Amino acid sequence: QVQLVESGGGLVQPGGSLRLSCAASGSITKISNMGWYRQAPGNKRDLVARFFDGGSTIYADSVKGRFTIFRDNANNTVYLQMNSLKLEDTAVFYCYADIADPFGTWRGYWGQGTQVTVSS
């Protein structure tokens, strides 16, 4: 079975940095796009950044210029480098990936979520 394992969340002061990682494992034939979403208390889950199969990326306006998404395709891993963190970045961050199994069936998978807390 496919599993997305996240790491790197934690507590950081405003202006600090964190790097999140998400490794996909299991019955994987191919991964197309991968991305990061986040959900703050009382809000819906929103896109943070997305890395498409062809190498293009998109970012939420609120993180553009501060966050960078990149991938290590050999290890089926996607990262989110977060710099200049703000109080309003506090949220549960979720990894997402579009994955094909050995039968050629595509579906979207979510990680379990990792807490990022920015506090002074």
Side-chain angles (χ1 to χ4, degrees):
Q1 298 295 319
V2 173
Q3 184 178 23
L4 302 182
V5 179
E6 300 162 315
S7 62
L11 176 65
V12 65
Q13 293 186 336
S17 298
L18 286 173
R19 179 178 290 185
L20 306 182
S21 64
C22 172
S25 62
S27 300
I28 298 171
T29 297
K30 184 176 176 61
I31 301 176
S32 57
N33 59 78
M34 304 183 77
W36 291 93
Y37 292 70
R38 67 184 179 186
Q39 186 168 14
N43 294 337
K44 63 182 178 67
R45 189 175 299 184
D46 293 323
L47 172 72
V48 176
R50 201 163 178 90
F51 195 118
F52 294 93
D53 188 49
S56 62
T57 58
I58 58 172
Y59 295 89
D61 288 339
S62 60
V63 308
K64 197 170 299 182
R66 299 188 297 121
F67 292 9
T68 303
I69 186 171
F70 57 101
R71 290 171 64 167
D72 178 358
N73 291 330
N75 293 296
N76 293 326
T77 302
V78 64
Y79 302 88
L80 184 68
Q81 178 66 45
M82 304 185 293
N83 298 326
S84 302
L85 284 161
K86 304 175 179 179
L87 296 177
E88 54 264 38
D89 292 321
T90 296
V92 178
F93 283 68
Y94 296 90
C95 177
Y96 175 87
D98 291 315
I99 297 173
D101 65 19
F103 300 98
T105 301
W106 288 88
R107 64 153 289 181
Y109 293 87
W110 292 96
Q112 78 285 353
T114 184
Q115 177 71 47
V116 172
T117 302
V118 184
S119 176
S120 60

